[in-house]
Amino acid sequence: GSDDIIAGNVSKYIVLPDGYCGQLKKGHLIFDACFESGNLGRVDHITEFEYDLFIRPDTCNPRFRVWFNFTVENVKESQ
Protein backbone atom coordinates (compact mmCIF):
# COMPACT_ATOMS: atom_id res chain seq x y z
CA GLY A 1 0.00 0.00 0.00
CA SER A 2 0.93 3.67 0.05
CA ASP A 3 2.30 3.32 3.60
CA ASP A 4 5.02 0.91 2.46
CA ILE A 5 8.62 2.06 2.81
CA ILE A 6 10.03 3.15 -0.54
CA ALA A 7 13.61 1.94 -0.66
CA GLY A 8 14.90 2.64 -4.16
CA ASN A 9 14.36 4.83 -7.20
CA VAL A 10 12.37 4.01 -10.30
CA SER A 11 14.62 3.32 -13.28
CA LYS A 12 13.16 3.87 -16.76
CA TYR A 13 9.80 2.82 -15.33
CA ILE A 14 7.05 2.68 -17.97
CA VAL A 15 3.62 3.49 -16.54
CA LEU A 16 0.78 1.79 -18.42
CA PRO A 17 -2.97 1.88 -17.79
CA ASP A 18 -4.36 -1.08 -15.82
CA GLY A 19 -5.03 -4.03 -18.08
CA TYR A 20 -3.13 -2.58 -21.06
CA CYS A 21 -1.10 -5.11 -23.00
CA GLY A 22 0.43 -3.93 -26.20
CA GLN A 23 3.25 -1.86 -27.56
CA LEU A 24 4.38 1.35 -25.93
CA LYS A 25 2.56 4.38 -27.38
CA LYS A 26 3.32 8.08 -27.27
CA GLY A 27 1.83 9.29 -24.01
CA HIS A 28 2.74 6.18 -22.00
CA LEU A 29 5.10 7.99 -19.68
CA ILE A 30 8.55 6.74 -18.72
CA PHE A 31 9.81 7.94 -15.33
CA ASP A 32 13.44 7.75 -14.29
CA ALA A 33 15.19 8.73 -11.05
CA CYS A 34 18.14 6.36 -11.23
CA PHE A 35 20.84 9.02 -10.95
CA GLU A 36 22.60 10.95 -8.20
CA SER A 37 20.03 12.98 -6.22
CA GLY A 38 17.07 11.20 -7.87
CA ASN A 39 14.30 10.48 -5.37
CA LEU A 40 11.20 9.12 -7.10
CA GLY A 41 10.29 5.83 -5.44
CA ARG A 42 6.99 4.81 -7.04
CA VAL A 43 4.52 5.94 -9.70
CA ASP A 44 0.85 4.92 -9.93
CA HIS A 45 -1.24 5.55 -13.06
CA ILE A 46 -4.58 7.24 -12.28
CA THR A 47 -5.70 8.61 -15.69
CA GLU A 48 -3.98 9.65 -18.92
CA PHE A 49 -3.27 13.03 -17.31
CA GLU A 50 -2.95 12.08 -13.65
CA TYR A 51 -0.33 10.06 -11.79
CA ASP A 52 0.40 9.58 -8.10
CA LEU A 53 4.11 10.13 -7.45
CA PHE A 54 5.74 8.82 -4.29
CA ILE A 55 8.89 10.70 -3.35
CA ARG A 56 11.49 8.92 -1.23
CA PRO A 57 12.45 10.59 2.06
CA ASP A 58 15.73 12.46 2.33
CA THR A 59 18.66 10.12 3.07
CA CYS A 60 19.84 12.05 6.12
CA ASN A 61 16.42 12.98 7.50
CA PRO A 62 13.53 10.60 6.76
CA ARG A 63 10.94 13.16 7.95
CA PHE A 64 11.57 15.44 4.96
CA ARG A 65 10.52 15.23 1.33
CA VAL A 66 11.23 18.77 0.23
CA TRP A 67 12.71 18.30 -3.27
CA PHE A 68 11.76 16.37 -6.37
CA ASN A 69 14.33 15.10 -8.87
CA PHE A 70 13.33 12.76 -11.71
CA THR A 71 12.81 12.79 -15.47
CA VAL A 72 9.77 12.02 -17.64
CA GLU A 73 9.98 10.83 -21.25
CA ASN A 74 7.61 9.82 -24.06
CA VAL A 75 5.05 12.58 -23.50
CA LYS A 76 2.59 13.49 -26.23
CA GLU A 77 1.52 16.98 -27.19
CA SER A 78 -0.85 18.61 -24.65
CA GLN A 79 -0.37 15.82 -22.11
Side-chain angles (χ1 to χ4, degrees):
S2 62
D3 293 334
D4 294 340
I5 294 173
I6 300 170
N9 288 324
V10 297
S11 179
K12 296 288 184 183
Y13 182 72
I14 301 169
V15 182
L16 299 172
D18 286 340
Y20 181 83
C21 53
Q23 291 191 339
L24 184 67
K25 296 180 182 177
K26 199 72 164 170
H28 290 158
L29 301 184
I30 303 169
F31 291 84
D32 187 32
C34 195
F35 49 86
E36 186 176 349
S37 77
N39 69 335
L40 184 60
R42 194 174 99 213
V43 180
D44 292 345
H45 178 269
I46 305 301
T47 70
E48 180 182 4
F49 301 104
E50 185 178 1
Y51 297 81
D52 279 342
L53 306 178
F54 296 85
I55 305 301
R56 288 188 314 100
D58 185 73
T59 303
C60 296
N61 192 338
R63 292 180 41 205
F64 292 102
R65 290 175 174 88
V66 295
W67 48 274
F68 312 94
N69 199 0
F70 56 90
T71 64
V72 180
E73 302 174 39
N74 203 43
V75 297
K76 66 181 179 182
E77 188 174 337
S78 77
Q79 183 176 28

